[in-house]
Amino acid sequence: MVDRRLVKIPGPTPVVDSIRVEMGREIQAFGDPRFVKDFKEVIDDLHEMFGCDGKTFVVAGTGTLAMEMAIANSTKKGDNVLIISHGFFGDRFIEICERKGLNVDVLKSEWGKTIPLSEIEAKLKEKQYAVMTVSHVDTSTSVVADVAAIGAMMKNFPETLYIVDGVCSSAAQYENLAEMNIDILFTGTQKAFGVCPGLLMLWANQKAMKRREELGTIPEYYCDYYKWLPTMEDPAKYFATPAVNLIWALQESIRLIKEEGGLKVRYERHLKNAKSVQKALLAMGFTLLAEEGCRAVTLTNAIYPEGVDDLEFRKALMAEGMIVAPGLASYMGKLFRLGHMGNVDINDEVVALGIIERALAKFGKLPKPGCGVGAYLEEMTK
Ligand SMILES: *Cc1c(COP(=O)(O)O)cnc(C)c1O
């Protein structure tokens, strides 16, 4: 029991058996026609699923490399960038951009809230920005940004590329480049795709590819679109060794998305599950960091009731066979972060909420046995 720990952090998320099997397969040469066909299928599927009219990249590396890749291929030293930050991962763009010698302006929200659209619009009018970045879901706050509304507004600023960090949202919260006017979107395999960590996916539309062209030679090497483009167009071509087994694992995860009924069904599943988990946490006496109206479907940040010690609480969860993530920055010790994205089902959540109930009971803080699980099931069976 102690060996088996339910992974309820916001990534890596649980990896189901059929995906694990792909990770353990005997290796194939990256030039083997069988693998080339699989790799091509993955790129083509992703391209179509997210409404990309430009190029789709699948590269070994994590979400952070994708952040760097997006900036590297759309800016040059001295450019103005606007960072919309709803927390820790929004802030991560600051250092990435500063190291590249960009002029950085940041709009920061109070944690748990979003920046109003009018404020973003007013800032964009101040000067010409080469790019603007927005994290769709900031994992430090579990706040979701209104990426569609921002995208519609961005039509008035055609010189500014709209970059969306989908690391904690893609394949769980609705995203589509064409429909949302997003120029660059990226994610990692270990979050809502439910694959082991190690691959990034990045979508760049035609406008973003045009910007890349205008930049000429860029200082970055490994994350230069142009280094990868020949491989993405014909996966038989070598630039750097593809992560063969991870690509198979991603292929299986895409197959599972299709089997589930496609992305739309998957978005709805995440929404209903998140609402239910959030009701359960409230019923148990937690408060939620993210305000109503901007709560993510992929994770929830639950603030402890008075008298529950963070370390002791998470230790109690661990003893019961589950691991969650601690709060970040000033919320360290005040909340825990519960992931509920990817290939998880109702049974996983019932177990997780049951464990949280038992841990709360140890502190004498559980209002009533079953109150969390009950609230969850009530909402789920509506
Ligand atoms: C996890 C995460 C990242 C960083 O991804 P890594 O794979 O850990 O490098 C970036 N942005 C968001 C929103 C994330 O949740």
Side-chain angles (χ1 to χ4, degrees):
M1 179 67 210
V2 198
D3 291 351
R4 212 184 131 239
R5 263 180 210 153
L6 191 55
V7 178
K8 293 296 282 177
I9 61 173
T13 59
V15 179
V16 297
D17 280 348
S18 69
I19 292 177
R20 272 208 305 257
V21 165
E22 296 298 319
M23 294 299 300
R25 277 176 65 183
E26 187 180 4
I27 197 74
Q28 283 178 10
F30 56 78
D32 187 317
R34 293 171 299 175
F35 173 70
V36 170
K37 181 169 167 287
D38 290 337
F39 196 178
K40 176 112 185 68
E41 192 180 293
V42 166
I43 296 164
D44 291 349
D45 277 346
L46 290 171
H47 192 72
E48 199 249 279
M49 285 159 75
F50 287 84
C52 184
D53 69 3
K55 294 291 171 191
T56 298
F57 298 86
V58 177
V59 170
T62 74
T64 305
L65 179 66
M67 296 172 83
E68 193 158 4
M69 187 166 175
I71 295 297
N73 288 278
S74 44
T75 60
K76 59 177 185 311
K77 205 171 173 220
D79 278 349
N80 297 322
V81 301
L82 178 59
I83 294 165
I84 308 301
S85 179
H86 295 136
F88 180 86
F89 287 101
D91 287 352
R92 180 166 283 190
F93 267 119
I94 301 172
E95 193 181 347
I96 292 174
C97 292
E98 282 178 350
R99 285 188 179 212
K100 197 175 156 70
L102 305 173
N103 298 320
V104 179
D105 285 346
V106 189
L107 282 180
K108 277 192 202 222
S109 67
E110 192 185 316
W111 277 31
K113 297 181 195 272
T114 53
I115 295 160
L117 195 61
S118 57
E119 245 177 75
I120 301 175
E121 188 168 18
K123 195 78 193 162
L124 284 164
K125 282 179 179 160
E126 282 180 13
K127 57 178 110 152
Q128 189 168 315
Y129 289 100
V131 302
M132 179 178 85
T133 69
V134 178
S135 311
H136 195 171
V137 171
D138 201 301
T139 322
S140 61
T141 59
S142 65
V143 154
V144 61
D146 192 345
V147 161
I150 299 171
M153 188 258 305
M154 289 306 286
K155 291 196 173 130
N156 302 324
F157 303 93
E159 303 303 319
T160 306
L161 289 186
Y162 177 31
I163 299 178
V164 174
D165 173 348
V167 181
C168 197
S169 55
S170 302
Q173 301 257 181
Y174 166 58
E175 280 162 353
N176 187 290
L177 277 87
E179 287 167 22
M180 297 166 117
N181 201 33
I182 298 169
D183 298 310
I184 300 172
L185 173 72
F186 57 82
T187 191
T189 39
Q190 81 275 27
K191 299 209 178 169
F193 275 84
V195 177
C196 304
L199 284 182
L200 65 87
M201 291 158 259
L202 184 144
W203 296 264
N205 71 2
Q206 280 180 13
K207 193 167 134 190
M209 293 309 294
K210 178 98 194 338
R211 171 71 63 81
R212 172 65 195 87
E213 193 185 331
E214 287 160 12
L215 292 174
T217 304
I218 59 170
E220 296 82 359
Y221 184 80
Y222 182 78
C223 68
D224 183 352
Y225 289 170
Y226 283 175
K227 290 290 175 197
W228 287 104
L229 211 48
T231 311
M232 297 304 122
E233 286 170 349
D234 173 9
K237 289 189 178 146
Y238 170 81
F239 163 58
T241 312
V244 174
N245 290 65
L246 275 166
I247 287 159
W248 281 330
L250 179 57
Q251 185 181 32
E252 172 59 12
S253 128
I254 293 167
R255 195 194 63 76
L256 290 174
I257 293 172
K258 289 181 185 167
E259 189 178 82
E260 182 176 357
L263 280 175
K264 195 161 170 281
V265 174
R266 195 174 173 91
Y267 298 147
E268 280 160 11
R269 165 168 69 80
H270 276 84
L271 180 62
K272 184 166 185 175
N273 184 58
K275 272 192 182 161
S276 308
V277 168
Q278 286 154 7
K279 280 221 163 149
L281 290 165
L282 290 168
M284 286 188 272
F286 294 97
T287 50
L288 307 185
L289 174 61
E291 277 188 338
E292 215 175 338
C294 64
R295 287 176 187 156
V297 303
T298 47
L299 84 158
T300 302
N301 292 7
I303 299 171
Y304 295 112
E306 200 72 46
V308 177
D309 178 76
D310 170 51
L311 273 181
E312 290 303 317
F313 179 79
R314 287 188 293 115
K315 225 186 259 173
L317 292 183
M318 191 91 93
E320 303 277 359
M322 176 163 100
I323 184 158
V324 297
L328 291 172
S330 63
Y331 280 95
M332 191 176 281
K334 294 193 180 127
L335 59 76
F336 72 94
R337 297 181 298 138
L338 181 69
H340 38 77
M341 67 186 120
N343 297 318
V344 290
D345 64 18
I346 190 164
N347 296 327
D348 298 318
E349 304 299 14
V350 166
V351 170
L353 293 166
I355 292 174
I356 294 171
E357 284 198 17
R358 298 210 298 280
L360 267 185
K362 284 187 185 168
F363 294 88
K365 292 288 173 187
L366 182 66
K368 189 168 167 274
C371 63
V373 172
Y376 175 78
L377 289 175
E378 198 179 306
E379 191 66 24
M380 284 300 282
T381 49
K382 260 187 191 165

